Amino acid sequence: MVQNPPIYASISISFEWAMNDFSSGFHPPAVPGHETKLSAEEKQPAARCEWDFSLATVVSSTAKATVSDTLGVIEFDPSNTILATGGIARKIRIYTLNSLLRPQEETVHFQGEHQSIAFLDHTNACGNCIFTPAKLSSLRWKPGTGGRILGSGDYDGVVMEYDVETKVPIFERDEHGGRRVWSVDYSHSDPFLGASGSDDGTMQMWDPRCGEVGGSVAKVQPTKSLSSVCCVEFNPFGDALIAAGCADQKAYAYDVRKMVEPVHIFDGHTKTITYVRFLNAQTLVSAGTDGCLKLWNIVDSRLLRTYKGHVNSRSFVGLSVWRHGGLLGCGSENNQVFVYDTRWGEPIWVHGFEPMGRDSSDHHHAFVSSVCWRQVNEDQCTLVAGGSNGVLHVFVGKRKSDSE
C-alpha cells in the first residue's frame, strides 16, 4: 500500500496544492518507434499563433491572499455560461460569464495598450457560494441536469453532488477509505454514471440509482503497487472508454462495459500523470510532472506529439483542451499560462500572472494552478486560469484575419 505523498512546506503559498513525484524513480525505457516520431516532428515548420489573446478580467480578494485561496479546479457548465471554481478554501464559487466579461460601471478599469482590463473582487463577482466540509480537488458538472447538479471530489476521499440552487448535497459516497479523491467525471451517454480516482490506487465507477453501498458498479486497480489515480475522464464522443492517469507514469483506457483489464496503455511520461483529456474521438492528451503534454493516438496507443515549454515538476497546474479550436491550455510553476496549438510542440502564446491592481499578494511564490476553456465558437475563445494565490484571470481570443 503506497503512502500519502509527503507535504512540501518550504514554499508557503503552494505546499497545499503541490503534488510530489509519486514515482519510485524508475523511468521506463522509450517505447520502440517513439523516437522516430519525435525526430520527424523536429522537421516541421516553427509554431505560429493564429490568435490574438488579451486579458479581459482579473478577479481577486480585497484581503491579502493566503494559501487557503488556492484555486485547484475551474469548470464551465454545459451551457458554457456559468463557471464554478474550487480549491482548498472549502468553498465552491459560482460565476456567470457575463458578470466577468461585462463588469458593472463601478468596477475599476485599467487601460492597457489595446484593451481595457476589469478588476473585480471575488465577493462582488461571485453570484453563488457553496461551503463544503473539506478541501476540494475536483469539480464536474453533471450532464443532463441543466447545470443544476455539480459533483466534487475532496481531500477526505468523499465524492459529493450538490444542488447549486439549494446549495445542499444530494448524494455522498465515501468508498475510497478516506484517501484523497483527485478527480471525478460523468459519462455523457449515461449521466447517472460517475467515476472517481483516488490516492487509494483505485478508479471507481458508481451510480446513485444502484442499491449497493455508495452505488458502486465497478472498481479497478490500474497498478499492482496501488499508485495513485490522479485523473479520470470518460470519452465524451460516444465510445465506451474511460481514461485514467496514474502516478506510475502511465495512462490507461478501459472499456466501461468490461472493467477488467485496460484496452489501451499510454506509456511515455517519465513522472506522474496529472491529467488526461480526450481531444476528439481519435486522440487523447495527457499532462505530467515531467513538464510535458503528450498527444496520443487512442487506437494503437501511439505517441503523436510532445509539447514542452511550461514548467511542471511537482504540482497540479491544470490542463484543458479547446476541442473546437485545437488548442491546449495549461498552467506553469513559473506563474504563467501557456497555450499550445496541437499541430506544434512549442507554445504559441504565454502570459505571465504579473501583479496588477488588487493582485498584490505573495506573487513570487505563486503559480498557475488551474485552467479551463469555454467550449464554444470556432473564431472566438475564452480561457479562464486560476492561481495558487486565489486570483482568477479571464482571457479572450479572436482568430487573426488572413491579412495579419
Side-chain angles (χ1 to χ4, degrees):
M1 195 72 155
V2 298
Q3 300 297 316
N4 275 320
I7 299 298
Y8 280 99
S10 58
I11 300 179
S12 60
I13 196 74
S14 64
F15 74 94
E16 286 278 12
W17 201 253
M19 69 155 297
N20 295 328
D21 174 16
F22 292 101
S23 66
S24 63
F26 168 71
H27 293 180
V31 177
H34 285 193
E35 293 302 322
T36 301
K37 292 294 179 182
L38 292 178
S39 60
E41 53 181 88
E42 291 177 357
K43 301 178 182 179
Q44 295 181 354
R48 65 180 186 274
C49 185
E50 300 174 350
W51 300 85
D52 281 323
F53 292 100
S54 61
L55 175 62
T57 307
V58 178
V59 188
S60 60
S61 297
T62 303
K64 183 178 180 180
T66 65
V67 66
S68 62
D69 288 328
T70 297
L71 295 174
V73 58
I74 304 171
E75 286 289 326
F76 274 104
D77 79 330
S79 72
N80 283 286
T81 61
I82 304 295
L83 190 71
T85 68
I88 62 177
R90 292 184 172 89
K91 65 177 67 173
I92 300 170
R93 291 188 176 110
I94 310 292
Y95 308 83
T96 65
L97 187 62
N98 282 344
S99 71
L100 298 178
L101 293 181
R102 299 177 183 176
Q104 301 300 317
E105 292 181 358
E106 63 267 20
T107 302
V108 177
H109 286 73
F110 169 80
Q111 296 298 327
E113 183 179 352
H114 298 291
Q115 61 184 319
S116 178
I117 303 174
F119 292 89
L120 307 179
D121 184 88
H122 281 297
T123 303
N124 298 326
C126 177
N128 198 357
C129 187
I130 302 173
F131 293 93
T132 64
K135 303 168 187 177
L136 299 176
S137 51
S138 181
L139 292 173
R140 191 57 60 98
W141 295 91
K142 189 170 185 176
T145 64
R148 179 162 180 168
I149 307 302
L150 184 63
S152 71
D154 66 32
Y155 278 42
D156 291 344
V158 179
V159 173
M160 302 185 75
E161 292 181 351
Y162 291 91
D163 185 316
V164 298
E165 293 187 11
T166 62
K167 303 182 183 181
V168 297
I170 58 174
F171 173 72
E172 177 179 343
R173 74 183 308 269
D174 184 9
E175 304 302 316
H176 285 286
R179 303 294 294 277
R180 184 178 310 181
V181 172
W182 286 112
S183 179
V184 296
D185 193 27
Y186 292 100
S187 168
H188 290 258
S189 59
D190 182 3
F192 283 99
L193 185 63
S196 52
S198 168
D199 265 343
D200 67 355
T202 69
M203 176 175 64
Q204 301 185 20
M205 289 203 311
W206 32 269
D207 186 333
R209 298 170 298 184
C210 295
E212 298 181 23
V213 177
S216 180
V217 295
K219 177 180 178 180
V220 294
Q221 176 187 316
T223 66
K224 294 181 179 179
S225 61
L226 287 174
S227 295
S228 297
V229 179
C230 300
C231 46
V232 297
E233 182 165 283
F234 286 94
N235 187 336
F237 299 99
D239 199 359
L241 286 181
I242 184 171
C246 298
D248 71 336
Q249 311 166 8
K250 299 181 182 67
Y252 303 85
Y254 291 84
D255 187 324
V256 299
R257 298 164 298 186
K258 189 177 181 181
M259 297 280 287
V260 181
E261 297 292 335
V263 292
H264 304 292
I265 298 177
F266 307 96
D267 185 2
H269 283 279
T270 58
K271 284 189 177 181
T272 295
I273 293 182
T274 48
Y275 300 94
V276 287
R277 297 287 186 262
F278 285 92
L279 179 63
N280 50 46
Q282 295 79 36
T283 56
L284 176 80
V285 181
S286 61
T289 53
D290 54 2
C292 297
L293 309 181
K294 292 182 180 291
L295 180 68
W296 306 88
N297 182 299
I298 296 175
V299 174
D300 58 10
S301 305
R302 178 167 47 92
L303 178 63
L304 300 177
R305 184 161 294 118
T306 297
Y307 306 92
K308 295 181 179 180
H310 61 288
V311 179
N312 186 199
S313 62
R314 53 169 290 185
S315 302
F316 284 92
V317 296
L319 171 66
S320 184
V321 299
W322 184 33
R323 299 184 176 105
H324 297 291
L327 301 181
L328 314 177
C330 69
S332 179
E333 290 165 7
N334 61 359
N335 210 25
Q336 295 178 320
V337 60
F338 282 71
V339 173
Y340 296 89
D341 187 305
T342 55
R343 295 171 292 179
W344 301 294
E346 299 176 352
I348 61 169
W349 185 77
V350 179
H351 181 88
F353 276 31
E354 298 299 329
M356 53 176 64
R358 298 173 184 174
D359 180 10
S360 56
S361 57
D362 190 2
H363 172 73
H364 297 294
H365 298 309
F367 64 95
V368 178
S369 52
S370 52
V371 295
C372 188
W373 289 102
R374 186 175 181 232
Q375 299 292 334
V376 293
N377 205 313
E378 293 191 4
D379 293 320
Q380 296 184 19
C381 59
T382 304
L383 176 66
V384 182
S388 60
N389 56 5
V391 179
L392 201 65
H393 288 63
V394 183
F395 302 95
V396 294
K398 184 177 181 180
R399 189 183 293 274
K400 297 177 181 178
S401 62
D402 294 336
S403 61
E404 294 183 76

